[in-house]
Amino acid sequence: MPSACESLIEDIEDMVSSNDPTPQERQSVRKSIIPRSRKKREPLASEEIQADSLIPGTQKIWMKTWGCSHNNSDGEYMAGQLAASGYKMTDDPADADLWVLNSCTVKNPAEDHFRNSIKKAQEQQKKVVVAGCVPQAQPRMDYLKGLSIIGVQQIDRVVEVVDEAVKGHSVRLLGQKKDGGRRLGGARLDLPKIRKNPLIEIISINTGCLNACTYCKTKHARGDLASYPIEELVERARQSFQEGVCEIWLTSEDTGAYGRDIGTDLPTLLWRLVEEIPEGAMLRLGMTNPPYILEHLEEMAKILSHPRVYAFLHVPVQSASDSVLMDMKREYCVDDFKKVVDFLKERVPGVTIATDIICGFPGETEEDFQETMELVKHYKFPSLFINQFYPRPGTPAAKMEQVPAHVVRTYRYFKQQVGERQHVLVTEESFDAQFYVAHNKYYEQVLVPKRSEFKGKMIEVDIYEAGKHFLKGRPVEDSKPFTPSIAEPLQKGQVSGLSQVITHTWAVSVFHQISQSHDYQEY
C-alpha cells in the first residue's frame, strides 16, 4: 500500500476545482498573511528541526527547455505561472528544489539530453516535473516512471502539477483541450509568462499539423491541426506591444496550415496583425510546408514586402528527390517547392528563404542525394540546415531499411552584402557577449557594437564584414536610433500579463484553504 507521499494521482480535477483561486490570486493573498507565533519548545536530542519547506509555492524552480520556438513559448508560459504563484525561478540548477524539464522529440540527441538531465536531477535528489513532446508522445517510457508530466495542451495547469510534485505525488495530465468536441489550439494565450527576451514575444498560432510525415515524432505529441481564433492572437500581440515588445515571432508546427480547421487562413491573420505593429517593430513568420503556402503566394509576397514584416520564410524541402519525398509522405513534389521559391524571389527582392534537408533517409540513393545538392547549388540558400536522419521510435521511417548518414553541416552566404547600408533591429546579445545582435529586413544576423542605447532600437549601419553565420555593421554616425516600443520593456524575469487587482471574495477563499492545513493568521 503506497504512502501518501508515494501515491499516484492520475488527474487532479477533483482536487482543484474551478472555484479555487488562480496562481495570481494565491500570490496576492500570501503577501497579507503571516504565520501565527507558536509556543516554543526545546527539541528532543534526537529530533531534527525541519524547515516548513513542503508548503507549495515557496520553492525554487529551475526550468530547461529544448527544441523549437513553440516549445520555448510553452516554457515561458509555465515559468510565468509558477512565478505568479509564488515560486522563485532560478537560473542555477544546483540552487533549485525542483526541475521542470521541457523536452523536444524531433531528434535523438535532444531526447538524450533530456533523459540525462532527469538522471542528473535524481542523482542530486531534486524533484522533477517533465513536459514537452517526449512525455506527451511516449509517457510510458521506463525512464519516465514515477515522474509528474505536464502535457503540451495542459501547460496552464503547471502550478497544480508542481504543487503536487513538491508534496511527493506523481501527477500526469496528458489530455486534449476541447470545446464542444472541437480540439483547441491549447492553453489560453493571456496566461502569465516570463519572456526569455523581454523584447521578443513568441506567439503560437496553432498546434499540430495536417501531415503524416513518416519520420516525424512531433505529430505523435502535437496531433492534428488546431488553430487559435484570430481575435485571441491579435489581442495577444496588442498586449505584447503594450509591454514594450518590439519583435514578434509567429510559431507552430506549420504556420501555412493556420486556420484551415476554423474557416480562415494565414494571410487573413497576418493582415490583422500588421495593423497592430508599431512603426519600427517587426514580425517574423515561422516555418511553413510547401503544400499550404502554394495557394497564398500572391498575398504572402505582399505581406513579406510590408516594411514591418521580415522578408524571411522558412520552407523545408527535406529532399529534392520526388521518390524520397514520397517515402517521407511530404505531400508535395520538388517542383512545388521550386514554384514557392521562384515566385517569392521574383516578387520580394532580397527575400531570405531558409530550408532544411534530411540526409540519409531510408532508401535514399547517391543519385537522390546529388539531386538535392544540385537544388542547393542552384538556389544558394542564404540559410540551409542539413540534418542527419534519426530513426525516431514509433515512426514508420524507423522500420525502413537504414542507410549510412551523410555529413551534417549548415552554411550561410553573406559576402555580397559587404558595403551595403541597412536598417537593423537590435534585440539580443551575442553568445560571447561582445556584440549586440540585430536583424535586417531579410532577417539576416548583423552584429553591432554593444552600446546600451542600441538595445531594442532600430539603427542604421554600414555592413563592413561577412562571416559564415553573420554580418557586421558599423553604425552610421549622423543616424539616430529609433525606438519602436510603445512602452518600456519589462525587466528580465518579470512576469507578463499579471493583474494587480484582487477581490475580497477570493482573498477569503485563499485564506480559508490555507488555514485548513496550517496555523496562519490574517492581519
Side-chain angles (χ1 to χ4, degrees):
M1 187 76 179
S3 66
C5 67
E6 296 171 331
S7 61
L8 177 66
I9 303 176
E10 291 294 340
D11 201 325
I12 48 180
E13 293 283 4
D14 295 332
M15 182 178 290
V16 184
S17 73
S18 60
N19 294 323
D20 289 340
T22 64
Q24 300 98 306
E25 298 163 3
R26 186 172 71 177
Q27 172 64 4
S28 300
V29 172
R30 182 181 284 122
K31 296 176 181 178
S32 64
I33 300 174
I34 62 172
R36 177 191 298 165
S37 60
R38 298 175 181 270
K39 183 178 180 180
K40 293 183 179 180
R41 64 178 178 87
E42 293 297 323
L44 298 176
S46 61
E47 182 180 25
E48 182 181 350
I49 300 177
Q50 297 287 338
D52 194 6
S53 60
L54 293 183
I55 302 174
T58 63
Q59 290 74 25
K60 294 181 180 179
I61 309 291
W62 178 67
M63 179 176 291
K64 171 68 176 178
T65 294
W66 292 267
C68 65
S69 297
H70 193 165
N71 224 34
N72 276 273
S73 176
D74 287 352
E76 291 181 347
Y77 274 122
M78 288 190 284
Q81 293 170 86
L82 290 168
S85 184
Y87 289 102
K88 181 179 179 182
M89 305 305 297
T90 177
D91 293 328
D92 183 1
D95 189 42
D97 302 295
L98 182 145
W99 291 8
V100 177
L101 303 175
N102 188 21
S103 62
C104 171
T105 193
V106 172
K107 301 176 186 177
N108 293 2
E111 183 171 350
D112 291 342
H113 286 305
F114 170 62
R115 182 170 53 247
N116 291 338
S117 293
I118 292 174
K119 182 179 179 181
K120 186 175 181 180
Q122 293 169 334
E123 290 172 348
Q124 297 182 24
Q125 304 298 308
K126 305 292 186 183
K127 295 183 184 298
V128 181
V129 170
V130 295
C133 291
V134 171
Q136 180 73 50
Q138 291 184 292
R140 293 181 177 84
M141 295 287 285
D142 286 343
Y143 69 88
L144 297 178
K145 285 183 177 178
L147 298 181
S148 291
I149 297 176
I150 305 164
V152 295
Q153 286 212 323
Q154 299 292 331
I155 61 170
D156 55 339
R157 300 179 65 188
V158 61
V159 174
E160 302 169 35
V161 176
V162 169
D163 282 354
E164 294 305 315
V166 164
K167 293 184 285 189
H169 300 150
S170 180
V171 183
R172 296 189 166 202
L173 302 182
L174 296 165
Q176 304 294 319
K177 293 196 179 299
K178 296 182 179 181
D179 181 14
R182 184 180 68 84
R183 185 165 175 263
L184 301 178
R188 298 195 333 265
L189 295 173
D190 60 351
L191 294 170
K193 74 186 306 185
I194 295 178
R195 298 185 184 96
K196 185 177 179 180
N197 184 336
L199 297 174
I200 298 175
E201 167 71 4
I202 306 172
I203 303 179
S204 170
I205 62 174
N206 56 268
T207 190
C209 68
L210 295 172
N211 299 328
C213 299
T214 56
Y215 57 82
C216 183
K217 187 71 175 178
T218 305
K219 177 76 172 187
H220 296 193
R222 298 285 183 177
D224 293 327
L225 178 70
S227 305
Y228 284 98
I230 287 180
E231 290 303 325
E232 293 181 20
L233 294 166
V234 170
E235 181 55 36
R236 181 66 204 179
R238 188 179 294 127
Q239 177 192 331
S240 302
F241 290 126
Q242 291 170 350
E243 293 178 339
V245 162
C246 61
E247 186 171 290
I248 283 183
W249 297 357
L250 300 186
T251 183
S252 77
E253 283 64 59
D254 187 352
T255 58
Y258 170 79
R260 284 173 172 257
D261 57 320
I262 58 173
T264 186
D265 55 41
L266 181 62
T268 302
L269 168 65
L270 295 177
W271 285 124
R272 287 290 309 279
L273 287 172
V274 163
E275 295 174 2
E276 302 294 331
I277 304 174
E279 182 181 355
M282 297 296 289
L283 174 70
R284 191 194 80 172
L285 304 186
M287 186 273 288
T288 176
N289 284 310
Y292 306 111
I293 205 68
L294 271 170
E295 65 188 72
H296 301 309
L297 287 178
E298 288 279 358
E299 286 302 297
M300 290 304 298
K302 295 176 184 176
I303 291 165
L304 293 174
S305 299
H306 193 283
R308 293 193 287 277
V309 179
Y310 286 118
F312 168 88
L313 200 61
H314 180 194
V315 190
V317 65
Q318 306 301 11
S319 174
S321 165
D322 284 342
S323 63
V324 173
L325 291 174
M326 185 177 298
D327 288 341
M328 292 178 172
K329 288 193 175 180
R330 288 292 288 169
E331 299 185 12
Y332 59 87
C333 63
V334 69
D335 284 343
D336 293 331
F337 174 81
K338 290 178 178 178
K339 181 177 180 181
V340 171
V341 178
D342 292 341
F343 187 93
L344 292 178
K345 287 173 72 72
E346 178 186 347
R347 298 296 183 90
V348 189
V351 65
T352 295
I353 302 293
T355 196
D356 302 347
I357 290 171
I358 295 176
C359 291
F361 187 81
E364 182 185 61
T365 65
E366 182 62 28
E367 183 180 352
D368 294 328
F369 179 69
Q370 289 305 321
E371 287 180 2
T372 302
M373 290 301 98
E374 287 301 317
L375 183 81
V376 171
K377 291 176 184 176
H378 175 73
Y379 285 107
K380 294 182 173 63
F381 298 104
S383 181
L384 172 66
F385 305 91
I386 308 178
N387 300 292
Q388 173 186 339
F389 168 73
Y390 290 99
R392 300 299 291 134
T395 61
K399 301 175 183 178
M400 300 177 183
E401 185 178 352
Q402 307 298 303
V403 298
H406 293 283
V407 176
V408 181
R409 66 184 183 274
T410 65
Y411 81 92
R412 279 184 173 269
Y413 185 75
F414 281 147
K415 289 183 180 178
Q416 70 274 21
Q417 300 196 45
V418 173
E420 289 186 3
R421 179 165 291 188
Q422 301 179 347
H423 283 90
V424 298
L425 180 60
V426 184
T427 56
E428 304 173 74
E429 184 178 82
S430 62
F431 286 115
D432 61 7
Q434 299 301 306
F435 299 90
Y436 276 152
V437 177
H439 291 90
N440 59 19
K441 163 69 176 173
Y442 312 104
Y443 203 70
E444 294 162 332
Q445 183 171 276
V446 182
L447 302 181
V448 300
K450 192 176 176 182
R451 300 181 193 167
S452 58
E453 66 269 25
F454 289 166
K455 190 70 175 290
K457 304 293 196 298
M458 181 74 77
I459 65 174
E460 192 174 20
V461 299
D462 289 323
I463 303 300
Y464 67 91
E465 183 180 333
K468 183 178 180 181
H469 300 289
F470 61 86
L471 298 166
K472 283 187 178 179
R474 182 180 296 110
V476 176
E477 289 187 7
D478 57 351
S479 177
K480 294 183 179 180
F482 177 79
T483 304
S485 300
I486 61 175
E488 189 69 23
L490 301 180
Q491 296 298 310
K492 189 172 180 61
Q494 187 175 349
V495 181
S496 156
L498 277 187
S499 171
Q500 302 302 316
V501 181
I502 182 169
T503 67
H504 177 72
T505 303
W506 14 281
V508 172
S509 175
V510 175
F511 172 68
H512 176 68
Q513 287 192 27
I514 296 176
S515 64
Q516 285 182 327
S517 54
H518 305 285
D519 279 330
Y520 286 98
Q521 184 169 340
E522 186 175 9
Y523 280 75

